[in-house]
């Protein structure tokens, strides 16, 4: 019972924007700083973001990821995205995303809040609990 | 071992000599880019991990240039732009074609393979460009403005990551062009100048 309650709280935390987060500002940041390479729906210079949360990193079909990211074992959630957006190469040395797009924590909170909303939809990546092929 | 001894050992080591040779070679590449010298006339370039990283960055940039060229071409072909706006679109497309040549040449010089453009039909079908939503000249300007801003921020983001810092100067010159485009497009759209300092990049 206690474990179920804990799981419910964690699940709720995972779908709720952080306090003070501004998804609209996150969208503006996404368009301006990420939009050159990423879209929600399609792979481009960067992989698409639809269904991002809960994905194993480097498993979006149709995108050529770096070996470093594919073997990283990362599963995308708020905390991992925060670290990634702050400095991708600090989190996964040798990965292909060499840019530091959001050095400010407030920017990352807003970006993640936007992605929480916009990245919903059919997921094509491998789920966090899927076995590694 | 003292720091001085460490430096001496590094200078004497084969790795250090290779690093110095590579740095000199890449700087020559960047200088050639900036001075208009044909990259094909330069000597072949050895590949290593850092060079591969530079090639990957340049290829992403090249992909964005291909996309920008396609967007201006599609926009110019809609018949929605007035003659003055069409002239500007054609001019900016030409700038991006110049960027394309610089980047493709650099990639080849570094031993990489330049990424090829997608077909015009694929660009037209791209959700990123969202060509289907274009109904007015203003829509075309907004698309171009969005792509220019994306390119500015992408270049700004990758500038510190070039193994050859001279390539950052090349990126800086590309950013200057993109920012010029962005400013003209923003003015055409009647948008105010940025009120904050450091309004680009992160």
């Amino acid at each position: 019972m206690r474990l179920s309650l804990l799981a419910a709280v964690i699940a709720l935390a995972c779908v709720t924007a952080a306090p003070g987060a501004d998804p609209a500002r996150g969208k503006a940041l996404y368009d301006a700083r990420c939009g050159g390479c990423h879209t929600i729906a399609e792979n481009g210079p960067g992989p698409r973001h639809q269904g991002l949360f809960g994905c194993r990193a480097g498993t979006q079909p149709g995108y050529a990821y770096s070996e470093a990211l594919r073997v990283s074992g990362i599963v995308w959630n708020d905390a991992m995205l925060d670290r990634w957006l702050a400095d991708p190469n600090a989190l996964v040395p040798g990965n292909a995303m060499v840019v530091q797009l959001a050095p400010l924590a407030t920017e990352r909170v807003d970006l993640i809040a936007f992605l929480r909303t916009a990245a919903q939809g059919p997921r094509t990546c491998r789920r966090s609990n899927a076995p590694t092929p | 071992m003292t720091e001085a001894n460490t430096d001496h050992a590094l200078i004497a080591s084969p790795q250090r000599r290779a690093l110095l040779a590579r740095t000199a070679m890449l700087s020559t590449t960047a200088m050639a880019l900036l001075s208009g010298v044909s990259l094909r006339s330069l000597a072949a370039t050895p590949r290593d991990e850092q060079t591969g990283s530079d090639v990957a960055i340049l290829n992403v940039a090249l992909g964005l240039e291909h996309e920008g060229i396609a967007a201006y071409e599609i926009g110019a072909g809609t018949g929605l732009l007035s003659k003055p706006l069409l002239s500007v679109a054609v001019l900016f497309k030409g700038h991006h074609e110049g960027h394309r040549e610089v980047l493709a040449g650099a990639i080849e010089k570094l031993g990489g393979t330049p990424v090829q453009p997608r077909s015009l039909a694929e660009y037209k079908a791209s959700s990123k460009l969202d060509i289907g939503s274009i109904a007015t000249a203003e829509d075309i300007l907004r698309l171009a403005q969005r792509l220019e801003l994306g390119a500015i921020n992408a270049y700004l983001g990758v500038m510190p990551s070039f193994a050859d810092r001279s390539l950052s100067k090349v990126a800086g010159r590309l950013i200057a062009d993109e920012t010029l485009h962005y400013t003209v497009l923003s003015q055409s759209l009647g948008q105010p100048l940025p009120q904050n300092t450091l309004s680009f990049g992160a």
Side-chain angles (χ1 to χ4, degrees):
Chain A
M1 176 65 185
R2 191 172 294 172
L3 280 176
S4 299
L5 182 61
L6 180 62
V9 169
I10 290 171
L12 184 62
C14 288
V15 296
T16 307
D22 183 348
R25 184 164 177 271
K27 179 184 182 345
L29 285 168
Y30 183 87
D31 288 345
R33 298 190 190 170
C34 313
C37 296
H38 292 277
T39 68
I40 298 297
E42 291 176 2
N43 292 327
R48 74 182 198 148
H49 286 141
Q50 188 167 299
L52 175 68
F53 291 87
C55 280
R56 279 177 186 261
T59 64
Q60 192 71 257
Y63 187 80
Y65 289 93
S66 64
E67 176 73 5
L69 193 61
R70 282 195 296 108
V71 303
S72 67
I74 284 174
V75 174
W76 294 120
N77 58 27
D78 290 22
M80 203 56 77
L81 278 170
D82 184 71
R83 292 175 62 189
W84 175 258
L85 291 168
D87 189 347
N89 267 302
L91 181 62
V92 185
N95 89 88
M97 188 167 134
V98 294
V99 297
Q100 295 175 27
L101 288 168
L104 300 178
T106 52
E107 294 173 337
R108 298 195 295 276
V109 165
D110 292 341
L111 270 169
I112 293 166
F114 165 70
L115 284 169
R116 274 278 173 203
T117 304
Q120 292 180 10
R123 179 186 285 131
T124 53
C125 64
R126 224 170 53 244
R127 297 292 301 271
S128 59
N129 55 358
T132 303
Chain B
M1 183 181 283
T2 66
E3 191 173 331
N5 283 341
T6 304
D7 287 347
H8 178 76
L10 280 173
I11 290 168
S13 71
Q15 294 90 335
R16 177 64 172 168
R17 284 196 296 274
L19 176 64
L20 290 172
R22 178 181 168 279
T23 302
M25 179 279 300
L26 285 173
S27 295
T28 303
T29 304
M31 287 169 62
L33 283 168
L34 293 167
S35 61
V37 172
S38 167
L39 289 165
R40 294 178 194 281
S41 67
L42 300 175
T45 305
R47 296 295 307 271
D48 60 30
E49 191 173 324
Q50 287 186 313
T51 305
S53 173
D54 280 355
V55 167
I57 294 170
L58 292 170
N59 251 329
V60 169
L62 179 57
L64 297 181
E65 296 292 349
H66 285 321
E67 187 178 61
I69 292 164
Y72 278 110
E73 187 169 333
I74 293 167
T78 60
L80 294 169
L81 296 176
S82 64
K83 195 170 179 182
L85 284 177
L86 182 61
S87 298
V88 171
V90 170
L91 177 65
F92 287 2
K93 174 172 170 274
H95 291 169
H96 287 291
E97 287 168 343
H99 298 171
R100 176 187 64 193
E101 300 312 314
V102 167
L103 291 167
I107 291 163
E108 287 177 347
K109 176 61 201 145
L110 293 172
T113 303
V115 66
Q116 295 300 303
R118 298 155 74 187
S119 70
L120 211 54
E122 286 176 298
Y123 286 117
K124 285 180 178 175
S126 153
S127 67
K128 179 181 175 186
L129 299 189
D130 196 17
I131 298 298
S133 71
I134 290 177
T136 65
E138 186 174 316
D139 292 336
I140 296 171
L141 296 181
R142 287 191 189 283
L143 168 61
Q145 183 198 38
R146 176 164 60 87
L147 295 179
E148 298 285 5
L149 180 59
I152 291 165
N153 285 325
Y155 280 124
L156 284 170
V158 301
M159 271 182 76
S161 301
F162 282 115
D164 176 8
R165 293 180 64 187
S166 298
L167 287 172
S168 296
K169 183 174 181 180
V170 177
R173 295 190 69 184
L174 299 179
I175 290 168
D177 275 358
E178 317 284 17
T179 307
L180 182 154
H181 298 172
Y182 177 83
T183 304
V184 169
L185 292 163
S186 298
Q187 193 168 35
S188 298
L189 285 163
Q191 295 179 350
L193 293 170
Q195 296 301 301
N196 298 326
T197 186
L198 302 176
S199 56
F200 297 99

